[in-house]
Amino acid sequence: MKNIYLDNNATTQIDQHVLAAMTPYLKEFYGNASSMHHFGGQLRHRIDQSLHYYGRRAQQALEASRAQAAKLIGAQPDEIIFTSGGTESDNTAIHGVLASRPDKKHIITSRVEHPAVRAVCRLLQTRGYRLTELPVDALGQLDLKQLEEAITEDTALVTIMYANNETGVVFPVDQIARIVHAKDCLFHCDAVQAVGKLPIDLQQTEIDLLSISGHKLHGPKGIGVLYVRRGTPLTPFMVGGHQESGRRAGTENVAGIVAIGQACELAQTYMAEENSRVRRLRDKLETGLLKHCLDARVNGDTAHRLPNTTNISFEFVEGEAILLLMDSLGIAASSGSACTSGSLEPSHVLRAMGVPFTAVHGSIRFSLSRYTTEEEVDFVIREMPPIIQRLREISMFSAGKNSAPQAPYERKPQLDPIR
Ligand code: PLP
């Protein structure tokens, strides 16, 4: 049995070049990038004058990686802060901006954010902030007029994602940035799902802060970037040592930093070519599934979407059951239903879009990557319809709407596949 990994919005396979680039920084070049001097009784962090080779080597690698990350998004190296991942970048941006504007007590976000933003905003709400969560329409898009009207003198920050992790829907972030700036407010954008999949040039937009995560672009987990435009007020979130020019304390994850730099460079080199291939495969998969599975429909704005994502609802069947049968065939994807999402609530994104309950529960997200092949897509197009048909018959049968299932599905699922 072959393994087919279509859950790349959850995490991606590390690129072999990334692994090769980072490994020496775990094995040989393990120095602390912030080796310190002792000057006149005062501990001082000196970026360019580490006392020994190990520290200098790590420091050089760190700065090279900073330049690589900056280049991918059209930023300056000094606008890049390395963090432990997308979640920390989001937390830092939100807490950091609010702490630097203590007079303002209002935050604006959307109803479809990742928990790394949503939960932070809701926590702040319990601490006295006023929170506006902008609704989305049936396609998962925002009404920018509503955004404009929501911004007041008291608004400290607007935090809205670039691309949605569940549906792939892309928001018009350039326009959002302009609206936010016209009202003299700051804009943080969680671009964790967009970086590496869409070209981003921060010279051309007015985004103030932007979050990136290494493991979504074929880098390792536990490393991220927060872009902070020059001049943007940001109080440090992690405090302690003077790393990252005093903007993020903690001994630098040098190997992870080298890895995310390399991942950014690879993304930049191959993005255009890869994405047109991935888009074609995604479209083929989507068209094939819609054609061969009854009562299937795509969730989200297909005209403004990441090239690698399709979120399809197979109505009247349970997402978990679909995933289980898919898994028995070696196909990995994810679902917006409650159990699989690990929360009590089914997908808040699909619910915000007004997707009916039955369709939310039967929703499957397929997310492709540079490693997805045509053969894999063909396999999924062939194997999904019998899975859906079989489950529908079971659910119709248990609902007493049909006679006994006709057993058109001859493959016996292996419930405990070892791969
Ligand atoms: N934001 C979005 C849109 C995401 O999809 C994710 C991860 O799924 C995160 C933030 C969190 O990133 P990390 O896993 O690096 O903490």
Side-chain angles (χ1 to χ4, degrees):
M1 188 171 61
K2 198 172 161 6
N3 291 319
I4 299 178
Y5 186 71
L6 298 178
D7 202 12
N8 287 283
N9 286 9
T11 196
T12 58
Q13 181 184 344
I14 192 164
D15 188 294
Q16 288 312 303
H17 298 289
V18 171
L19 187 59
M22 76 186 285
T23 306
Y25 291 89
L26 294 166
K27 289 164 82 174
E28 298 118 63
F29 311 130
Y30 47 79
N32 187 328
S34 298
S35 300
M36 292 187 197
H37 274 288
H38 211 264
F39 278 114
Q42 189 191 10
L43 262 188
R44 282 186 53 190
H45 170 226
R46 294 291 299 254
I47 283 182
D48 51 343
Q49 289 182 27
S50 189
L51 281 177
H52 51 64
Y53 167 76
Y54 293 91
R56 279 193 303 276
R57 182 77 204 228
Q59 188 62 49
Q60 283 158 6
L62 204 138
E63 294 314 319
S65 177
R66 201 185 302 283
Q68 287 169 311
K71 192 154 176 255
L72 176 64
I73 55 174
Q76 300 300 319
D78 64 354
E79 295 175 314
I80 300 294
I81 301 177
F82 292 113
T83 67
S84 68
T87 301
E88 188 190 314
S89 295
D90 288 342
N91 272 261
T92 303
I94 299 168
H95 286 294
V97 167
L98 295 186
S100 68
R101 313 183 103 187
D103 49 318
K104 297 184 186 279
K105 295 287 177 203
H106 178 219
I107 316 161
I108 299 175
T109 188
S110 84
R111 282 197 193 153
V112 295
E113 296 299 310
H114 186 275
V117 165
R118 192 172 183 241
V120 180
C121 291
R122 290 187 169 193
L123 175 72
L124 287 162
Q125 194 178 23
T126 68
R127 296 181 182 168
Y129 281 87
R130 193 163 66 79
L131 178 63
T132 303
E133 288 186 346
L134 296 169
V136 293
D137 63 17
L139 292 180
Q141 283 294 359
L142 293 164
D143 177 348
L144 296 188
K145 193 109 194 68
Q146 274 181 341
L147 164 66
E148 199 172 355
E149 285 164 8
I151 304 172
T152 70
E153 296 241 304
D154 193 38
T155 311
L157 181 71
V158 174
T159 172
I160 289 176
M161 68 202 322
Y162 206 122
N164 191 274
N165 46 301
E166 294 190 29
T167 58
V169 169
V170 175
F171 282 147
V173 291
D174 296 356
Q175 255 175 291
I176 292 173
R178 282 198 295 276
I179 291 170
V180 173
H181 273 191
K183 294 248 181 170
D184 225 8
C185 191
L186 290 170
F187 177 38
H188 164 246
C189 182
D190 175 350
V192 163
Q193 291 293 343
V195 173
K197 296 174 190 154
L198 301 174
I200 295 176
D201 184 359
L202 290 165
Q203 306 274 335
Q204 304 299 322
T205 90
E206 297 181 27
I207 294 169
D208 297 297
L209 306 107
L210 181 128
S211 301
I212 305 178
S213 171
H215 72 105
K216 309 289 181 175
L217 68 154
H218 302 287
K221 293 157 189 66
I223 185 72
V225 161
L226 177 63
Y227 158 85
V228 185
R229 188 176 292 277
R230 279 183 189 164
T232 305
L234 190 82
T235 302
F237 175 59
M238 301 283 271
V239 288
H242 298 286
Q243 293 88 354
E244 296 296 277
S245 306
R247 293 186 295 178
R248 193 273 187 184
T251 300
E252 299 90 341
N253 171 4
V254 179
I257 290 171
V258 167
I260 198 170
Q262 184 68 28
C264 286
E265 188 167 319
L266 289 169
Q268 177 143 40
T269 309
Y270 299 113
M271 186 168 1
E273 174 195 327
E274 263 170 13
N275 284 346
S276 59
R277 197 186 69 85
V278 167
R279 183 187 297 277
R280 189 182 64 73
L281 290 180
R282 188 275 313 270
D283 290 346
K284 181 177 186 183
L285 175 67
E286 186 172 277
T287 312
L289 294 181
L290 293 183
K291 185 166 168 212
H292 298 295
C293 302
L294 280 179
D295 292 321
R297 64 170 195 181
V298 177
N299 295 311
D301 182 358
T302 55
H304 302 96
R305 200 167 47 149
L306 292 173
N308 79 317
T309 310
T310 177
N311 186 311
I312 303 182
S313 279
F314 302 95
E315 277 203 83
F316 318 116
V317 273
E318 278 295 323
E320 291 94 75
I322 303 174
L323 288 183
L324 216 69
L325 292 185
M326 285 170 68
D327 182 52
S328 72
L329 299 175
I331 309 166
S334 65
S335 165
S337 72
C339 301
T340 43
S341 63
S343 71
L344 294 175
E345 288 285 311
S347 162
H348 68 280
V349 175
L350 300 183
R351 296 294 291 150
M353 290 160 60
V355 175
F357 213 68
T358 49
V360 172
H361 278 285
S363 70
I364 301 290
R365 176 188 69 189
F366 301 89
S367 46
L368 288 61
S369 82
R370 66 170 72 134
Y371 298 116
T372 308
T373 66
E374 183 120 28
E375 185 198 1
E376 291 174 341
V377 165
D378 290 340
F379 182 83
V380 177
I381 294 174
R382 201 167 56 242
E383 298 299 331
M384 280 298 284
I387 290 177
I388 302 301
Q389 189 182 342
R390 178 174 186 227
L391 292 173
R392 276 233 178 90
E393 281 166 359
I394 292 170
S395 75
M396 301 277 264
F397 179 60
S398 57
K401 291 186 188 147
N402 205 347
S403 56
Q406 301 298 304
Y409 185 75
E410 58 302 320
R411 190 186 307 269
K412 194 167 180 301
Q414 302 150 273
L415 284 177
D416 187 20
I418 297 167
R419 297 193 292 273

